Structures are given as C-alpha cells and as structure tokens.
Amino acid sequence: MTPELEQDRDSKFHELTVALRAALQQIRTDPGLPASVAQVARMASCSRGLLYTDDRRWVVRRIEKIKKLRRLRDKKVHENGAEADKVEGGVPAQLAAMRRENAQLFHECKALKGELRAAQDENEQLSRNLKSSEEQLYALREEVRRASGGDAFRRRTKGS
C-alpha cells in the first residue's frame, strides 16, 4: 500500500472514530435516543457490521454500558418515586434529605482527598527511603566485594 493510500485510510479511520464518539456522547446525554448499535451506525453514517469488527467493537461495549446505566437510572427513579410517595412531606422533604446527603458526601469526599494526599506523600517518602536503602546496599556490597577480593560475595550467593 502506498503511503498516500495508507494516510488516506488512517484519516478516514480517525474521522469515523470522531463521528462514533460524538454519536455515543449524544446518546449518553439524550435519553430520548435509543441506545443501540443501529442508532450509532445511523448517526455516524456507517454500517452496523462495521461496529462488530475488532477495531470497532469498543462501540458495542460502550452501548452496552449506556444501556446498563439507563436501566440503573430508571430503577433508581422508580425506587425514588415510590419512596417519595412514602415520605411525609413528599418532594420537598425528599429534596431536603438529598441536600443533606449531598453535603455529607461533599465532606466525605473532601476528607478522602486529604487522606489520599497524605497517602501519596507517605508513598513518596517510602520510595525515597527505598531508593536510599538500595543505594546503601549496593555500596555495601561493593565494599564487601573489594575487601574480599571479589570472591567472597560470589561464593556465598552461589551456595545459597
């Protein structure tokens, strides 16, 4: 294949990838659009069969994820609707409860971010300590090798 043809093929592959990602994004954000391979194919102007090839199977997996997320969302909406009927005060009380939960989650998130920063700092310190220890170990091995004429360390490691 000539470089020009290969470049043209790569360009078309990239253009289709962009169109597929745009279609998936639109399907993800618009619940009115069906989450199906056929819908993506229509929106990206390609065949459905193309989306089942090895290079494009990721589209099918993403569609399945979108379907799963929609089912979960619908289930939550149904459960929340049933709970709203049970909650005294109805929707305003449920909204207040959600705001309290949101505030609690915000503070938990903030605390977890602090813990993550502390863990990352500790990890960096441990990495520095490990590197220093490895350097010391190397230096000591070299010193032992020089002191014993280079044979003692090798004999000990061979016998292990």
Side-chain angles (χ1 to χ4, degrees), residues 91-156:
V91 174
Q94 187 179 11
L95 182 60
M98 291 175 123
R99 285 181 176 153
R100 282 191 300 276
E101 182 183 7
N102 189 30
Q104 180 185 2
L105 290 172
F106 172 79
H107 292 296
E108 285 178 25
C109 180
K110 196 173 181 180
L112 287 172
K113 283 181 181 179
E115 289 177 28
L116 177 62
R117 272 193 302 276
Q120 287 171 333
D121 292 343
E122 184 179 358
N123 186 30
E124 287 176 16
Q125 183 61 43
L126 289 171
S127 294
R128 285 192 295 271
N129 291 348
L130 176 63
K131 185 176 180 178
S132 174
S133 297
E134 287 172 341
E135 289 170 353
Q136 290 173 358
L137 177 62
Y138 179 75
L140 289 171
R141 282 185 176 164
E142 285 296 312
E143 189 177 321
V144 167
R145 188 183 58 80
R146 274 187 254 119
S148 64
D151 293 335
F153 185 69
R154 281 192 217 123
R155 269 187 261 134
R156 194 176 80 214

Side-chain angles (χ1 to χ4, degrees), residues 53-118:
T53 62
D54 289 341
D55 289 337
R56 299 295 185 183
R57 192 160 306 271
W58 60 270
V59 175
V60 177
R61 287 191 296 270
R62 294 238 177 110
I63 285 293
E64 293 304 318
K65 281 184 182 178
I66 292 170
K67 286 179 183 179
K68 186 177 180 180
L69 288 172
R70 284 184 178 181
R71 282 192 299 269
L72 287 172
R73 186 197 63 221
D74 292 345
K75 183 179 175 183
K76 275 192 166 200
V77 166
H78 178 70
E79 288 172 359
N80 288 341
E83 285 178 22
D85 294 340
K86 295 177 190 173
V87 174
E88 197 169 309
V91 174
Q94 187 179 11
L95 182 60
M98 291 175 123
R99 285 181 176 153
R100 282 191 300 276
E101 182 183 7
N102 189 30
Q104 180 185 2
L105 290 172
F106 172 79
H107 292 296
E108 285 178 25
C109 180
K110 196 173 181 180
L112 287 172
K113 283 181 181 179
E115 289 177 28
L116 177 62
R117 272 193 302 276

